[in-house]
Structures are given as structure tokens and as C-alpha cells.
């Protein structure tokens, strides 16, 4: 290419920002650096959870494998390794329930394995309080459902060896589990689907015993003589503990329902505030934001008591609340409201509201563009451009990454608006402004 001679006019110009780029204090640089550090720490913990989970769950499943083969001596060390790894990782994420949720499947597999081993040793169902690790009610009940499925497999294997008494015991245990779980009012969730599988385990065990009763096996004669009646639940498990778990689950569900209902008020008031701000009704917007804040503060004691209640409706409501406050502050000062001025929201909620705020800025900019207020549009673009650059430095999860894509889309739309404004100010009509069809020529009319 060195031998090719080209005129200087062929060299492209250096890029420059759209519109003005000399606005100051659009965002708090120091705060975004803190965000970056905090998200890095969170990502490291998340990676460590996944890494530990990839070690723990295979150990628990391996223990179940050995239990089905009768190699109980192999299981003790596997369980000890599970406890050691789980204790270490749980100590690091005890303050973050979302990261704790990553280990849920590992805990369920470990509980299933522990119950299976306890059953083979005693013929009883392992209590939640007897577990070597602290498990949630959901994890314990999920492990209980998994244990029932393993008994279904175990019973089929014992039936091939004509071990009718073991099959009878498996049926009694699974029927007791099913009868106790029927007392729960499970919502639509993964646990509900696991519970729905219990009835198939019960039916399969009943079918195995029926099929054995049709054989001439000496061991199966007890099935037709009625020597073995189903055992009472209290003889196989701690019924009082299961009742306590049921009451705790019902109390949690009732609290969660109340939070979902009240969180709708946070979302509704915040949306109404944004609606009012777009129509320059700041007083009504202030009233709506005050109502949203009151609703959030009412729920906060329940959220602090159990952080799992924060995720979902309440979290979404706070994102909307943060979006409304950030938009309100932008209309007043032209800058981004720092997170420290919104103490109710956490980092992920603030970032979610911040990204959603860019959509409102886009709408506001279009309204200003129709009135040819170019400086206002340029400021909107400067804010989105700056936020886009800051977001690229943040290590966000997949859900937040999707929101960040929306920010990039909003920025590109504003660039198009500025381009069209540059044509309009030069006396050109853009395609979006051309509303009337071209007039027909005299020749066309003839």
C-alpha cells in the first residue's frame, strides 16, 4: 500500500462525539468505581460458588451411586468431603441469599444421599435437625422428594432378589412422606413439581408389591395374608418437626403474598410519577414518589428479616422507584442521581433503574427534538453516552447484560435524532418529517 498515492482528502476524519461533550458532573465517577469493585467481588464469589457446586454435587451423586450398590463404606468419606466443601463456601456467601441459591441443588443431592444412608441403617426418615449442614425448608423438602425417588429404584432392585419386606418398608416410608407433604399448600414452583412426582413413586411401589403377590415366591405369601399393614407416620419420621416446617412455609407464603401485593403499589406509583414528569406535572409526581417510598418503607422490616423476600416483586418495584427518582433528578439538574441518595435500593436495583431510565431519557429527547430544542437533546445524548461507557466497565450478570443492551439501543436512537436535527436545521426535511405524499405532476394527472 505504500506505493499507492492518494490525495489527502481520502483520509477519514477523526471521530468526534455527537453534539456537545463538555458537560461536567453528569455522573459520579467515584461511585461508579465503587460499583465496579463491588461487582467484581460479587462475580468472584459467584464463580467460586459455581466452582464449589461443580465439586459438591458429583460427590453427593457418587454417594447415591455407591448406596445403590451396597458399598456403604465408600459413602462416609464422600459425605465428609461434601460437608467440608459446603461449610467452607457457605461461610463466604452467608450474607447473600442469591449466591446461596446456586448451591441449592448441591444441598438437595446431599440431603437425598444422607436420607438414603440413614434409611439403610435404621429404616427411618432422617430429621432436618439431624443433618450435619444447615438446610432451608425448601432444600429439605426437595431432598425428601428425591429420597422417595431413590427408594423407588431401590425397591425395584430388592424385588428382583425377592426381598419383599424391604419393598414393603419402602412403600410405607414413601406413603408416609406423601401423606405429610399433602398437608402443605405448595405454590407453583420447582418444589411443587417435585412433590407432584411423589404420587408416581407411591403408585410404582404399590404396583411392585401387587406384581410380587401374583408370583409363587414363598417370600411374597405375606402380601396375600395381610400380615403387614402400613406403619403409622409417627413410627417412621418426626411428625412434629414436619408440622413445624409446614407452619413455617405457610407463614412465609403469607408474608410473601402480602409483599407482592404491596409491591404493586410501589411499581404503580413510580410509573405514575414518570408519567407525570413527562407531562411537566412535578407536584403530582412528588406525591406519587412519596407514596411509593412509604410503601417500600412499610415492607422493609419483613425484607430485612428474610432477604429471600426481596427478590421478585419488591425488587422490581424498587427498580421502578429508582428509575423515577433518577429521571426526576435529571429533569431538575441534568445529572444522574447518585445511589447514596436512594438508600432504599441496593446496587443491582439501582443499576436496573438506571438502565431503564435511559428509555425515559430517549422519550424526553424526542419530545424536545420536536420543538427543536437541540441543546436539551444534546444533553440527553451526553448522559446516555457517558452511562454507556461506564456500564462497559461493570461486570454484570446475564440478566443485567440484557438491560445494558437496551441502553445501547437507546443511545443509537438518540444519535439518529441528532442526525435528523442536523438536517432539519439545515433546511432539509428528514424522512420522518415528510408526512405529505408528493404532488402529482401535470403529465401524471393527464
Amino acid at each position: 500500500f505504500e506505493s499507492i498515492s492518494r490525495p489527502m482528502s481520502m483520509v477519514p476524519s477523526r471521530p468526534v462525539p455527537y453534539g456537545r461533550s463538555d458537560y461536567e458532573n453528569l455522573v459520579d465517577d467515584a461511585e461508579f468505581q465503587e460499583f465496579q469493585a463491588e461487582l467484581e467481588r460479587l462475580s468472584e464469589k459467584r464463580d467460586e460458588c459455581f466452582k464449589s457446586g461443580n465439586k459438591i454435587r458429583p460427590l453427593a451423586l457418587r454417594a447415591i451411586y455407591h448406596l445403590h450398590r451396597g458399598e456403604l463404606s465408600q459413602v462416609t468419606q464422600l459425605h465428609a468431603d461434601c460437608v467440608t466443601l459446603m461449610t467452607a463456601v457457605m461461610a463466604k456467601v452467608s450474607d447473600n441469599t442469591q449466591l446461596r441459591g446456586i448451591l441449592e441443588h448441591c444441598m438437595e443431592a446431599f440431603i437425598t444421599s444422607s436420607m438414603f444412608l440413614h434409611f439403610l441403617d435404621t429404616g427411618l426418615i432422617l430429621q432436618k435437625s439431624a443433618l450435619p449442614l444447615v438446610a432451608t425448608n425448601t432444600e429439605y423438602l426437595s431432598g425428601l422428594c428425591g429420597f422417595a425417588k431413590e427408594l423407588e429404584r431401590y425397591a425395584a432392585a430388592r424385588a428382583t432378589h425377592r426381598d419383599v419386606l424391604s419393598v414393603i418398608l419402602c412403600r410405607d416410608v414413601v406413603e408416609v412422606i406423601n401423606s405429610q407433604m399433602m398437608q402443605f399448600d405448595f405454590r407453583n414452583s420447582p418444589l411443587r413439581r417435585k412433590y407432584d412426582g411423589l404420587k408416581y413413586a407411591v403408585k410404582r411401589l404399590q404396583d411392585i408389591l401387587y406384581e410380587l403377590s401374583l408370583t409363587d415366591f414363598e417370600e411374597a405369601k405375606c402380601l396375600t395374608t395381610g400380615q403387614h399393614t402400613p406403619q403409622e407416620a409417627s413410627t417412621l419420621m418426626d411428625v412434629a418437626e414436619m408440622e413445624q416446617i409446614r407452619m413455617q412455609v405457610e407463614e412465609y407464603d403469607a408474608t410473601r403474598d402480602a409483599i407482592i401485593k404491596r409491591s404493586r403499589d410501589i411499581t404503580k406509583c413510580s410509573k405514575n410519577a414518570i408519567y407525570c414528569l413527562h407531562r411537566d406535572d412535578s407536584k403530582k409526581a412528588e406525591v406519587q414518589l412519596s407514596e411509593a417510598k412509604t410503601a417500600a418503607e412499610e415492607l422493609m422490616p419483613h425484607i430485612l428479616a428474610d432477604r429471600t423476600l426481596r427478590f421478585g416483586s419488591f425488587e422490581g418495584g424498587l427498580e421502578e422507584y429508582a428509575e423515577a427518582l433518577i429521571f426526576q433528578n435529571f429533569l431538575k439538574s441534568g445529572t444522574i442521581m447518585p445511589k447514596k441518595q436512594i438508600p432504599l435500593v441496593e446496587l443491582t436495583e439501582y443499576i436496573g433503574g438506571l438502565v431503564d431510565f435511559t428509555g425515559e431519557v430517549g422519550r424526553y429527547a424526542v419530545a424536545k427534538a420536536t420543538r427543536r430544542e437541540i441543546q436539551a437533546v444534546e444533553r440527553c445524548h451526553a448522559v446516555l453516552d457517558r452511562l454507556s461507557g461506564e456500564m462497559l466497565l461493570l461486570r454484570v450478570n446475564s440478566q443485567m447484560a440484557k438491560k445494558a443492551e437496551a441502553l445501547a439501543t437507546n443511545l443509537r436512537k438518540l444519535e439518529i435524532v441528532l442526525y435528523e436535527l442536523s438536517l432539519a436545521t439545515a433546511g432539509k426535511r428528514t424522512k420522518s418529517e415528510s408526512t405529505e405524499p408528493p404532488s402529482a405532476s401535470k403529465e401524471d394527472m393527464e
Side-chain angles (χ1 to χ4, degrees), residues 82 88 91 100 129 161 167 215 227 239 287 292 349 374 385 407 434:
C82 284
R100 176 71 169 78
S129 57
H161 295 279
V167 178
T215 66
Q227 297 179 12
V239 177
V287 172
E349 296 158 354
I374 299 177
D385 183 59
L407 192 161
S434 301

Side-chain angles (χ1 to χ4, degrees), residues 238-433:
D238 189 340
V239 177
E241 185 183 63
M242 281 296 289
E243 176 63 16
Q244 184 180 8
I245 293 174
R246 185 190 67 79
M247 293 175 63
Q248 291 172 354
V249 170
E250 285 191 357
E251 182 181 357
Y252 177 87
D253 287 341
T255 304
R256 183 171 178 271
D257 288 343
I259 288 175
I260 291 173
K261 183 177 180 181
R262 188 63 168 138
S263 295
R264 295 194 192 106
D265 296 332
I266 303 174
T267 303
K268 181 183 68 174
C269 291
S270 300
K271 285 184 179 294
N272 287 339
I274 293 172
Y275 177 88
C276 294
L277 290 170
H278 275 296
R279 284 150 184 80
D280 200 24
D281 191 350
S282 58
K283 291 184 178 180
K284 189 173 181 180
E286 193 68 46
V287 172
Q288 294 294 323
L289 287 172
S290 177
E291 292 180 4
K293 182 180 180 181
T294 299
E297 289 175 341
E298 286 179 7
L299 297 178
M300 195 55 72
H302 301 288
I303 302 300
L304 295 177
D306 187 346
R307 280 189 51 82
T308 61
L309 294 169
R310 188 178 194 105
F311 311 114
S313 298
F314 185 74
E315 182 181 41
L318 286 186
E319 280 191 17
E320 197 73 33
Y321 175 67
E323 176 188 355
L325 283 177
I326 294 170
F327 186 41
Q328 181 192 48
N329 183 79
F330 172 76
L331 296 181
K332 290 180 179 179
S333 65
T335 60
I336 301 300
M337 175 180 279
K339 176 185 173 297
K340 58 189 175 184
Q341 294 184 18
I342 318 177
L344 285 174
V345 303
E346 294 187 344
L347 177 55
T348 54
E349 296 158 354
Y350 175 79
I351 294 177
L354 190 61
V355 174
D356 291 341
F357 149 78
T358 63
E360 303 304 330
V361 173
R363 290 177 57 195
Y364 173 77
V366 169
K368 291 298 183 181
T370 60
R371 294 192 286 270
R372 300 297 186 267
E373 298 182 23
I374 299 177
Q375 289 186 351
V377 179
E378 287 179 341
R379 190 172 191 89
C380 291
H381 174 269
V383 168
L384 265 60
D385 183 59
R386 186 65 185 280
L387 284 177
S388 178
E390 296 291 349
M391 286 294 295
L392 291 173
L393 299 176
L394 301 183
R395 188 176 176 183
V396 296
N397 56 29
S398 57
Q399 181 180 1
M400 199 61 64
K402 292 181 179 178
K403 284 184 172 255
E405 292 176 5
L407 192 161
T409 300
N410 294 329
L411 177 60
R412 287 194 293 270
K413 288 179 179 178
L414 269 189
E415 290 172 351
I416 294 173
V417 170
L418 283 172
Y419 163 71
E420 292 183 341
L421 276 177
S422 70
L423 297 181
T425 54
K428 302 291 185 181
R429 291 175 63 84
T430 65
K431 184 182 295 186
S432 60
E433 291 179 313

